[in-house]
């Protein structure tokens, strides 16, 4: 039986790259301009389909964000004799490293990746020190810790940032007794560990932990309601007294079945229910509606977190080029990574990269279906340098040796 996987978007990527290249060539033909070349490399690995058909990934996931960022860069660049080109590449796990090496050999030194944790490390190593790789997808803490790389930055928030964002709000609500349910996959267990760290950091107590095993059974069948209405109440019964259910299901195998199906009537948070995200189509504050409308105009769909994270990565290049007025790779890279670059990204404050692990500081939205319930960091949590550093791994805690 063939695995259910994403649709191959390689023809779309090639078409996008050609269209962007032609339009930018026309824009630059009149006068000599500084050229900034970038690429987006998306690695599509076979994976189970999501529980809901509403969560099926679009063919242009991430690439649409790249198109908007390139257009935005060109808007500013047109006044400064700057032009931007972007090549979109869709690869498989078998071809991804070769594609990265090809892009680097062709002189592209700013490459945004949309890949899982293991592949992100491989791509950063394949790129070499002469390329700045910006991770716009993988959230694993180890990429910002033991497996960090000197040429790797992150616009995707880390698991630590996401779990801290939720933990702050639960602390504000005084929901301090957590029933933690985790999946059986390695990435689920890593996310659960991040929630345990967040609970300790913000004064919560995990009163019980349970593991929901992936038995390899089909979920999207005519009897798909069975895991929710029958299995989940039985799975969650007789748990220790708790205020809230916190779910660590990075793989997306079971979490969506939990809301309204727990044995005790308790709110569900984490991987379902109230979810921490970098972006949501519901976000309107801080001129977010401007981003939403422009994105929807070019893509005919709402923006997803991956689109926003790719947009931030490419806009970082545009902002660095605007501020430094330099074409030199080292100058641009060092400016972006130093923390001096301030990115306006519809979050109410300027965003900067942490110099100790390459992570972009950013507020995190806590999303409940069609609304943004709140935004972390919560006002009550302070920090001596930046309130955004209350989210994620702070300088004294880092295991990254860049």
């Amino acid at each position: 039986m063939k695995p259910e996987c994403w649709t191959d978007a390689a023809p779309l990527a090639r078409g996008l790259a050609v269209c962007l290249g032609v339009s930018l060539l026309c824009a630059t033909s009149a006068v000599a301009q500084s050229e900034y070349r970038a690429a987006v490399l998306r690695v599509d690995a076979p994976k189970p389909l999501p529980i809901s058909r509403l969560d099926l990934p679009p063919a242009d996931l991430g690439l649409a964000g790249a198109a908007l960022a390139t257009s935005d860069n060109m808007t500013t660049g047109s006044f400064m004799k700057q032009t931007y080109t972007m090549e979109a590449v869709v690869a498989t796990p078998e071809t991804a490293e070769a594609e990265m090496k090809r892009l680097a050999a062709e002189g592209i030194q700013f490459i945004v990746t949309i890949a899982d944790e293991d592949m992100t490390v491989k791509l950063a190593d394949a790129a070499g020190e002469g390329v700045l790789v910006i991770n716009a997808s993988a959230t694993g803490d180890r990429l910002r810790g033991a497996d960090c790389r000197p040429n790797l930055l992150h616009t995707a928030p880390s698991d630590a940032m996401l779990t801290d964002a939720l933990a702050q709000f639960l602390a504000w609500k005084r929901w301090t007794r957590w029933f933690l349910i985790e999946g059986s996959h390695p990435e689920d267990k890593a996310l659960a560990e991040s929630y345990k760290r967040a609970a300790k950091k913000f004064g919560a107590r995990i009163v019980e932990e349970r593991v929901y095993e992936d038995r390899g059974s089909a979920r999207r069948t005519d009897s798909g309601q069975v895991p929710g209405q029958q299995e989940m109440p039985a799975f969650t019964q007789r748990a220790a007294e708790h205020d809230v259910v916190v779910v660590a299901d990075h793989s997306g195998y079971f979490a969506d079945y939990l809301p309204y199906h727990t044995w005790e009537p308790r709110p569900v948070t984490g991987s379902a229910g109230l979810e921490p995200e970098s972006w949501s189509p519901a976000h309107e504050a801080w001129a977010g509606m401007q981003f939403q409308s422009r994105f929807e105009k070019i893509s005919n769909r709402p923006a997803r977190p991956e689109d926003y994270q790719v947009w931030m990565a490419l806009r970082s290049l545009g902002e660095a080029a605007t501020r430094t007025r330099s074409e030199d790779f080292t100058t641009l890279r060092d400016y972006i990574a130093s923390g001096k670059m301030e990115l306006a990204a519809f979050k109410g404050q300027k965003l900067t990269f942490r110099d100790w692990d390459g992570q972009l500081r950013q507020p995190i939205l806590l999303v409940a279906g069609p609304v943004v319930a709140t935004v972390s960091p919560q006002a009550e949590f302070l920090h001596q340098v930046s309130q955004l550093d209350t989210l994620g791994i702070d300088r004294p805690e880092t295991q990254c040796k860049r």
Side-chain angles (χ1 to χ4, degrees):
M1 181 178 179
K2 294 183 178 179
E4 299 173 310
C5 60
W6 295 8
T7 303
D8 180 12
L12 174 85
R14 288 193 293 269
L16 179 62
V18 169
C19 290
L20 285 169
V22 169
S23 63
L24 295 174
L25 179 61
C26 293
T28 61
S29 58
V31 294
Q33 296 186 324
S34 299
E35 183 182 34
Y36 300 89
R37 302 172 62 199
V40 176
L41 174 55
R42 196 182 79 192
V43 184
D44 287 355
K47 62 177 65 177
L49 290 171
I51 291 173
S52 171
R53 62 182 297 272
L54 298 180
D55 294 326
L56 288 168
D60 62 349
L61 182 67
L63 307 183
L68 180 60
T70 304
S71 175
D72 290 349
N73 286 342
M74 281 296 298
T75 298
T76 303
S78 63
F79 296 101
M80 303 185 67
K81 297 185 178 180
Q82 296 173 341
T83 185
Y84 296 84
T85 63
M86 186 277 296
E87 180 175 348
V89 179
V90 177
T92 66
E94 294 74 26
T95 63
E97 290 175 82
E99 289 287 2
M100 175 62 83
K101 292 177 181 177
R102 176 186 66 80
L103 292 170
E106 292 177 358
I108 298 178
Q109 295 182 291
F110 297 91
I111 302 178
V112 182
T113 61
I114 308 171
D116 63 25
E117 292 177 40
D118 291 337
M119 181 56 68
T120 299
V121 173
K122 292 178 182 178
L123 293 176
D125 290 342
E129 62 182 14
V131 173
L132 181 62
V133 179
I134 305 182
N135 161 39
S137 177
T139 60
D141 291 333
R142 65 184 180 90
L143 295 180
R144 291 88 172 161
D147 284 338
C148 71
R149 296 293 189 270
N151 66 333
L152 181 61
L153 301 179
H154 312 273
T155 54
S158 65
D159 284 343
M161 292 171 63
L162 298 169
T163 56
D164 282 357
L166 179 59
Q168 284 190 7
F169 179 66
L170 298 184
W172 182 82
K173 290 288 292 182
R174 293 183 173 83
W175 293 344
T176 57
R177 297 176 299 174
W178 296 6
F179 176 18
L180 178 63
I181 302 175
E182 65 186 79
S184 57
H185 296 273
E187 59 269 31
D188 303 331
K189 295 184 178 300
L191 181 58
E193 288 300 317
S194 190
Y195 273 117
K196 293 174 189 178
R197 182 199 56 79
K200 183 178 180 180
K201 181 177 178 180
F202 295 106
R205 183 166 56 95
I206 297 175
V207 297
E208 186 161 343
E209 299 177 49
R210 293 186 185 178
V211 176
Y212 188 89
E213 296 287 343
D214 182 350
R215 299 181 299 276
S217 57
R219 300 166 300 162
R220 301 180 72 201
T221 64
D222 291 338
S223 59
Q225 76 278 4
V226 172
Q229 192 162 331
Q230 296 183 17
E231 185 175 346
M232 287 305 173
F235 177 77
T236 57
Q237 68 178 329
R238 291 189 292 274
E241 187 62 30
H242 55 282
D243 302 312
V244 63
V245 176
V246 178
V247 190
D249 179 26
H250 217 313
S251 55
Y253 180 70
F254 69 93
D256 286 338
Y257 290 123
L258 277 166
Y260 308 104
H261 289 131
T262 55
W263 183 262
E264 298 289 345
R266 298 291 186 271
V268 175
T269 65
S271 299
L274 183 65
E275 301 182 57
E277 300 277 7
S278 68
W279 191 257
S280 166
H283 180 55
E284 298 181 8
W286 304 303
M289 198 61 214
Q290 184 229 92
F291 177 93
Q292 307 281 20
S293 60
R294 290 189 297 112
F295 181 89
E296 290 163 11
K297 184 176 181 180
I298 68 167
S299 64
N300 296 312
R301 63 172 178 83
R304 298 201 178 190
E306 293 88 348
D307 297 302
Y308 176 67
Q309 288 153 197
V310 171
W311 178 87
M312 287 194 294
L314 291 176
R315 280 293 296 126
S316 295
L317 171 59
E319 181 67 17
T322 298
R323 298 301 177 184
T324 65
R325 300 194 177 191
S326 173
E327 297 178 67
D328 178 64
F329 167 73
T330 301
T331 300
L332 293 167
R333 178 200 61 195
D334 291 350
Y335 181 75
I336 293 171
S338 68
K340 295 178 182 178
M341 187 208 70
E342 296 181 334
L343 181 66
F346 310 101
K347 289 285 188 76
Q349 55 190 295
K350 299 294 180 68
L351 312 185
T352 60
F353 284 96
R354 293 171 177 154
D355 59 11
W356 61 87
D357 63 1
Q359 174 65 57
L360 184 71
R361 299 176 175 94
Q362 58 182 295
I364 299 297
L365 314 180
L366 297 183
V367 182
V371 299
V372 177
T374 186
V375 180
S376 287
Q378 301 294 307
E380 292 76 12
F381 296 93
L382 305 177
H383 191 277
Q384 64 271 28
V385 177
S386 168
Q387 192 183 25
L388 291 176
D389 286 339
T390 64
L391 304 180
I393 305 300
D394 204 355
R395 187 187 300 273
E397 308 169 275
T398 186
Q399 297 179 2
C400 178
K401 303 186 188 307
R402 291 165 62 84

